[in-house]
Amino acid sequence: MQTLSENAAFGGVQGVYTHSSKACACDMTFGLFLPEEAQDGPVPLLWYLSGLTCTHENAMTKAGAQGWAAEQGIALVFPDTSPRGEGVADDAAYDLGQGAGFYVNATQDPWAPHFRMWDYIADELPALLEENFALDMERQAITGHSMGGHGALTLAMALPGRFRSVSAFAPIANPTGSDWGRKQLSAYLGDDETAWAAHDASLVMRDKGFDGPVLIDQGASDQFLELLKPEALADAIAARRQEATFRMQKGYDHSYFFVSSFMEDHVTFHANALWR
């Protein structure tokens, strides 16, 4: 692992690091904010998974999360959204390939050699973080925006006991029924739709649910509502009788203005679970 930068922020340190990833077979970059309390011992960790076209940097610089995390004494990790670099498959469209990993393990060419973001987020990066930083990996929570909200929800439900809470900002909630999903899942996983179900938050919510609290914020003026399909997730939460808060936020769109407006709520929500 190499340090690309470290900057003082809110009494703590915002770092950017790169490492050789076995899962993705390329170098991967991530951001990590450590609050001041990390100088004295391990602190809880909140994951933030970003959306389409993003790198580690978008949420790190736009979401306004570090100040709220510093107040709560928790760390924040900002992974990249896909493998990158020379020899890594890509597509001309913004919603497939580099910047659009969809947090799955691809099984189809040309994506299979590198696009293993599920293994990277679920296994490889947590192990690297635990080895190198003052983090209490028994206290983890996860959130994300759009494609990252999809990833946060599906990972949280598939890994019971890993995360104490999960939240999402405008998640891609029903990708098997949306053009933001069917295109990518067929490319990465093939045409057998039974393989897609594990990566559809609405389907997994009906089947398994989550063993903790859930918070969803969706902008009511989001320009991508027809692609996100929040009603499918809301219906699944109700059918499952899941412990959850689902909020439609009047006037808000899909941008980081929306995310940053409700970031304090989400960080506080997770801190309440992490410090229990």
Side-chain angles (χ1 to χ4, degrees), residues 73-218:
I74 63 178
L76 289 164
V77 63
F78 305 97
D80 203 346
T81 57
S82 78
R84 299 179 191 273
E86 186 177 351
V88 176
D90 200 6
D91 191 90
Y94 75 94
D95 58 354
L96 187 67
Q98 295 187 35
F102 259 76
Y103 304 100
V104 303
N105 286 339
T107 60
Q108 306 299 303
D109 289 333
W111 314 107
H114 297 282
F115 281 72
R116 301 190 63 81
M117 288 300 295
W118 183 279
D119 283 353
Y120 180 69
I121 299 297
D123 298 317
E124 185 175 28
L125 186 53
L128 183 77
L129 293 172
E130 185 172 26
E131 181 180 352
N132 288 280
F133 300 98
L135 298 169
D136 181 356
M137 302 303 279
E138 295 300 312
R139 297 176 183 266
Q140 296 185 65
I142 191 167
T143 188
H145 174 225
S146 194
M147 180 185 72
H150 138 80
L153 289 164
T154 54
L155 281 155
M157 289 186 283
L159 301 170
R162 171 75 63 89
F163 303 106
R164 296 195 176 191
S165 51
V166 60
S167 73
F169 301 86
I172 299 175
N174 184 208
T176 63
S178 167
D179 287 343
W180 269 2
R182 295 189 64 82
K183 171 184 176 180
Q184 294 84 359
L185 295 175
S186 61
Y188 295 142
L189 303 178
D191 293 331
D192 180 2
E193 296 190 19
T194 61
W196 304 359
H199 300 286
D200 186 308
S202 296
L203 298 181
V204 182
M205 178 62 72
R206 284 183 179 272
D207 182 42
K208 294 182 179 180
F210 177 65
D211 55 345
V214 177
L215 173 62
I216 309 293
D217 272 313
Q218 172 62 62

